[in-house]
């Protein structure tokens, strides 16, 4: 019984200690600077959001936005390949789309740069319903920048 009373007293002391440590202040980061408040985070732009209605992959200093558009003759694939916080278009890359069709077969398509639209584009002539898996392979002056996407038709 005496051991039980000692254990209960130690437990109660632990609760009191924990309660006194949580006095409502925000935790500090490891370098003892204050944690970033939600309002400060909201002020910074979220570069992972789509600007063209597509799916986005952020990799390093690059922003890839993939937009598939269903057409009568297949699916038009658009890729906005951009750099930096300002999302500056990159016109001189070599871009290839490797597409897995819903039946499991593969297609490799070279995407051409559309200077007016500031994006890379190609028509995928497939019309089968189902999920398409797309791997975008980009070569920007020898630097490899890749992204994976899916879409349904």
């Amino acid at each position: 019984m005496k051991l039980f009373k000692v254990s209960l007293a130690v437990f109660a002391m632990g609760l009191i200690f924990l309660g006194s440590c949580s006095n409502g202040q925000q935790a500090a980061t490891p370098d003892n600077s204050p944690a970033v408040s939600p309002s400060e985070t909201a002020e910074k732009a979220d570069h992972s959001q789509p600007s063209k209605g597509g799916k986005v992959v952020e990799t390093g200093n690059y922003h890839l936005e993939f937009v598939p558009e269903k057409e009568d003759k297949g699916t038009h694939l658009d890729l906005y390949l951009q750099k930096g916080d300002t999302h500056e278009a990159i016109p001189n890359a070599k871009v290839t789309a490797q597409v897995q069709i819903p039946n499991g077969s593969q297609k490799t398509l070279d995407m051409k740069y559309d200077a007016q639209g500031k994006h890379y584009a190609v028509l995928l002539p497939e019309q089968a319903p189902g999920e398409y898996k797309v791997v975008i392979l980009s070569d920007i002056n020898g630097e490899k920048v890749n992204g994976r996407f899916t879409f349904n038709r």
Side-chain angles (χ1 to χ4, degrees):
M1 188 68 170
K2 186 175 183 179
L3 181 63
F4 175 75
K5 288 180 181 178
V6 170
S7 295
L8 187 57
V10 169
F11 178 73
M13 294 281 289
L15 286 177
I16 292 169
F17 177 74
L18 284 175
S20 68
C21 287
S22 62
N23 60 4
Q25 292 181 353
Q26 281 188 336
T29 56
D31 65 356
N32 289 330
S33 61
V36 177
S37 72
S39 63
E40 289 175 277
T41 304
E43 290 173 7
K44 294 181 181 177
D46 184 359
H47 296 286
S48 65
Q49 294 301 310
S51 62
K52 307 295 182 187
K55 296 179 180 179
V56 172
V57 169
E58 292 280 328
T59 177
N61 197 26
Y62 296 98
H63 174 93
L64 289 76
E65 184 170 351
F66 177 74
V67 183
E69 294 183 16
K70 185 178 173 181
E71 296 181 354
D72 291 338
K73 296 181 182 181
T75 305
H76 191 262
L77 307 179
D78 292 330
L79 177 74
Y80 295 85
L81 179 58
Q82 302 166 333
K83 184 174 183 175
D85 289 341
T86 59
H87 290 178
E88 179 183 332
I90 301 170
N92 57 346
K94 181 179 191 292
V95 180
T96 304
Q98 293 180 340
V99 184
Q100 181 178 346
I101 312 302
N103 69 9
S105 65
Q106 303 268 338
K107 286 228 179 225
T108 300
L109 306 165
D110 290 328
M111 300 184 80
K112 303 295 180 204
Y113 188 71
D114 173 8
Q116 184 177 357
K118 295 185 178 182
H119 69 283
Y120 293 84
V122 69
L123 178 66
L124 174 65
E126 303 301 319
Q127 298 183 23
E131 182 181 62
Y132 289 74
K133 297 178 181 178
V134 181
V135 176
I136 299 293
L137 305 172
S138 305
D139 184 325
I140 305 167
N141 299 321
E143 184 177 2
K144 307 296 184 204
V145 179
N146 304 326
R148 295 181 182 272
F149 304 92
T150 61
F151 70 93
N152 289 309
R153 179 161 167 87

